[in-house]
Amino acid sequence: MTHDSRLDRLQDWLAERLGGPAELAPHGRPGSGFSADNLIFTATVGDRTTTHVLRTDAPHAQPYPEQALGLGTGVGLQSQVMRAVADHVPVASILGVEFDTELLGAPFMVMDFVEGLVPKETPPCTAEGFYAEANAGYRATMIAHGLEALAAVHSVAWREGGLAVLDSDSEPAGAGRQLDLWDAHLRAGLRGRDAEIFGTALERLRTTMPPAPAADDVVLLWGDARLGNVIWDSLLGMPRCLTDFEGAAVGERELDLGWWLMADRWMHEGSGIDRLAGEPTRAAQVALYEAAAGCSTANLGWYELFAAYRFATTVVFVMNQWEQAGAVPADHTIWRDNPATELIAAILNEDARP
């Protein structure tokens, strides 16, 4: 592991929070992500060594739209959400958040490192890795407790928890507002390009819009609810830490559940992989969520299509990043031809069947 100069600049900042000067050493980079730069490092103070994660905001345009002008989607928002949900679901303890860009060139936060297993994304966890190799009971436990954790996020009193900033005075919370935000975000990311699949999906979404939620049905949304955004206990199959809250918003719970179902489709039908032993059917997963949340859900086909539209939007922004980094040529078509747009097409085709 090569030395990371950011740790030198963090010495004094961390000493105040660790109780004394620490010897810092890089320890790897967790998983994959496109909205921030993450570094695992150890800190030794005297005879005590602890492990932490440095998460630094990335300078490029973010895959998720901001929920209010100037709010952003970086560590400021993420740390607020983590603190608000900490009494309801397991999240990493935050050592500190820094908004002054002088130290590292961007806002950052330092969290405690949480040991555990994270399902693979590429190839999908249903094809390779601990999830694919686990026994049926372990997978069933993971999914059930993942949905319970999702329901717990939705139970957070977000207005009282410092997250009223996610709401808008100009437009009611819910699917309509989110569709407007994501459509504008997609157009910005496309930079004048377009594809028929986006227009077809948007027309379907606008013409079949579910009714706006009642005020009491507006919940805190995780924004990226899926198995791969949880650190799992290797023995018990229980969540040890929920991660990635840059897509946090407020709206009806189906916005998150539709994303969960879209991710499930991506790991199975979208990847040509049969459901594994122990994995509940999609209908059974909806029932598990409803039992945990103590309420029913509706219009999940619409919400899953919108989830695929949002997923395709994030791909556009990630491909823009790759293009800027020289990883793909300027005339690439991955922004249009990718698993996310294939999911949109599959859902549209399902809805069109008699």
Side-chain angles (χ1 to χ4, degrees):
M1 177 64 62
T2 58
H3 181 72
D4 193 304
S5 62
R6 289 176 298 176
L7 296 181
D8 295 333
R9 286 171 272 162
L10 276 180
Q11 284 281 356
D12 293 341
W13 188 90
L14 280 169
E16 298 177 10
R17 292 157 178 82
L18 292 172
E23 181 180 339
L24 308 178
H27 200 62
R29 296 182 181 276
S32 60
F34 302 101
S35 59
D37 182 82
N38 298 307
L39 173 70
I40 302 173
F41 68 95
T42 57
T44 302
V45 180
D47 59 358
R48 180 172 178 264
T49 298
T50 53
T51 306
H52 308 278
V53 178
L54 167 65
R55 184 173 178 88
T56 308
D57 284 349
H60 46 63
Q62 294 300 297
Y64 293 86
E66 59 179 5
Q67 295 294 311
L69 187 62
L71 180 62
T73 62
V75 296
L77 172 64
Q78 295 164 38
S79 59
Q80 280 184 272
V81 176
M82 290 168 67
R83 287 173 174 138
V85 305
D87 290 338
H88 298 260
V89 294
V91 291
S93 297
I94 299 173
L95 199 62
V97 183
E98 182 59 65
F99 298 100
D100 188 341
T101 61
E102 184 175 349
L103 199 59
L104 297 185
F108 66 89
M109 67 175 168
V110 174
M111 306 169 282
D112 287 345
F113 175 77
V114 179
E115 189 70 55
L117 301 175
V118 179
K120 293 175 69 71
E121 294 183 358
T122 307
C125 65
T126 46
E128 184 179 301
F130 84 93
Y131 183 84
E133 297 165 3
N135 61 55
Y138 188 91
R139 280 192 289 266
T141 297
M142 282 180 65
I143 292 173
H145 287 288
L147 288 162
E148 288 176 1
L150 179 57
V153 170
H154 294 165
S155 73
V156 172
W158 56 273
R159 292 180 181 88
E160 294 77 19
L163 294 175
V165 67
L166 290 169
D167 205 356
S168 170
D169 294 331
S170 60
E171 190 175 357
R177 178 169 183 260
Q178 292 305 312
L179 182 56
D180 288 344
L181 286 173
W182 280 90
D183 178 41
H185 196 54
L186 172 60
R187 300 305 151 188
L190 285 173
R191 302 173 309 191
R193 300 167 296 184
D194 207 352
E196 183 179 359
I197 190 68
F198 297 131
T200 302
L202 182 62
E203 181 181 11
R204 178 73 60 83
L205 290 167
R206 292 213 180 275
T207 57
T208 59
M209 178 78 67
D216 290 345
D217 293 329
V218 174
V219 303
L220 174 64
L221 300 169
W222 182 351
D224 196 358
R226 54 191 173 88
L227 293 174
N229 275 339
V230 181
I231 300 172
W232 299 90
D233 186 283
S234 60
L235 296 177
L236 301 177
M238 303 280 286
R240 299 204 69 223
C241 180
L242 274 59
T243 68
D244 288 19
F245 292 97
E246 59 265 48
V250 293
E252 58 267 49
R253 61 187 71 243
E254 287 90 347
L255 286 161
D256 262 350
L257 187 56
W259 185 275
W260 178 281
L261 293 172
M262 181 275 298
D264 179 271
R265 181 190 292 263
W266 175 28
M267 295 187 301
H268 295 97
E269 293 91 340
S271 300
I273 300 170
D274 292 337
R275 197 160 295 275
L276 305 176
E279 290 187 310
T281 64
R282 293 160 57 82
Q285 291 184 58
V286 173
L288 285 167
Y289 171 82
E290 291 179 341
C295 65
S296 60
T297 57
N299 301 306
L300 287 173
W302 188 96
Y303 289 101
E304 188 177 0
L305 175 59
F306 182 36
Y309 187 81
R310 289 150 58 198
F311 180 26
T313 300
T314 67
V315 172
V316 167
F317 276 84
V318 171
M319 288 302 103
N320 288 348
Q321 293 175 27
W322 285 18
E323 180 184 328
Q324 291 163 11
V328 294
D331 61 352
H332 76 91
T333 61
I334 308 172
W335 61 271
R336 181 192 66 208
D337 305 317
N338 57 68
T341 52
E342 290 171 4
L343 287 178
I344 292 176
I347 296 170
L348 288 171
N349 289 337
E350 280 185 5
D351 290 346
R353 292 174 188 167

